[in-house]
Amino acid sequence: MDKIWSSRKRWVFFGLPFTFTEYTLTKEKLLVDSGFLNKKEEEVRLYRVLDLSLTRSLAQRIFGLGTIICKTSDKSLPILEIVNIRNSKEIKEQLSALVEEERVNKRVSMREFSGANDFDDMDDNNDDTSENL
């Protein structure tokens, strides 16, 4: 497993990595190891990531940190937050590129479905024809 990026969750104040959560990014998956006495390891395959967003509170911006929120199709981990990491914008862009690359490699396509509101014009036309009958 070749690590592309690895970092510890940091405290917001002073940006120090005194926590027991470590994030690791490889070409195929994102791993989250947490805990001190009771260890927990979670992973999300990159092709399962549906959406990425970045949030940065005032305190996070002051200390050069950010939180990446990954919405996934994984049933055990539908939302994964990579909390209080340095260079969050660059890491998000790198993660986004790896997600797209992994989707191409696995031949996974993401189909977006249109909502019911997209067919309002059709409903109006159907109502007009039903009145004429």
Side-chain angles (χ1 to χ4, degrees):
M1 174 172 64
D2 295 331
K3 288 183 184 179
I4 293 175
W5 169 79
S6 183
S7 182
R8 289 198 173 277
K9 176 180 171 183
R10 296 172 180 270
W11 285 354
V12 173
F13 296 103
F14 308 116
L16 300 173
F18 293 136
T19 64
F20 298 103
T21 301
E22 183 176 7
Y23 305 106
T24 304
L25 178 63
T26 69
K27 287 187 81 163
E28 296 180 349
K29 54 189 163 184
L30 182 59
L31 302 163
V32 180
D33 291 322
S34 59
F36 176 66
L37 296 175
N38 296 324
K39 297 288 284 178
K40 182 178 181 180
E41 181 179 300
E42 297 176 298
E43 78 174 46
V44 172
R45 298 276 176 181
L46 293 183
Y47 71 88
R48 292 186 175 268
V49 175
L50 302 174
D51 188 40
L52 294 170
S53 60
L54 174 65
T55 61
R56 298 178 67 203
S57 67
L58 177 61
Q60 285 177 318
R61 288 186 313 211
I62 289 170
F63 294 106
L65 304 174
T67 297
I68 300 171
I69 301 167
C70 304
K71 293 178 184 167
T72 73
S73 63
D74 193 279
K75 292 186 184 202
S76 64
L77 196 60
I79 296 178
L80 170 65
E81 292 186 354
I82 306 171
V83 182
N84 295 337
I85 57 167
R86 290 192 184 270
N87 304 317
S88 55
K89 188 170 186 169
E90 291 83 14
I91 299 303
K92 178 188 162 278
E93 294 302 320
Q94 186 176 21
L95 179 58
S96 180
L98 286 169
V99 165
E100 291 303 318
E101 182 180 319
E102 190 63 11
R103 282 188 188 150
V104 169
N105 290 342
K106 298 281 186 192
R107 296 185 177 142
V108 175
S109 66
M110 187 171 130
R111 296 181 181 151
E112 295 188 27
F113 296 100
S114 58
N117 293 337
D118 293 343
F119 299 105
D120 283 343
D121 293 334
M122 285 179 56
D123 291 340
D124 292 340
N125 291 339
N126 288 338
D127 289 341
D128 292 340
T129 57
S130 62
E131 289 176 9
N132 294 334
L133 294 177

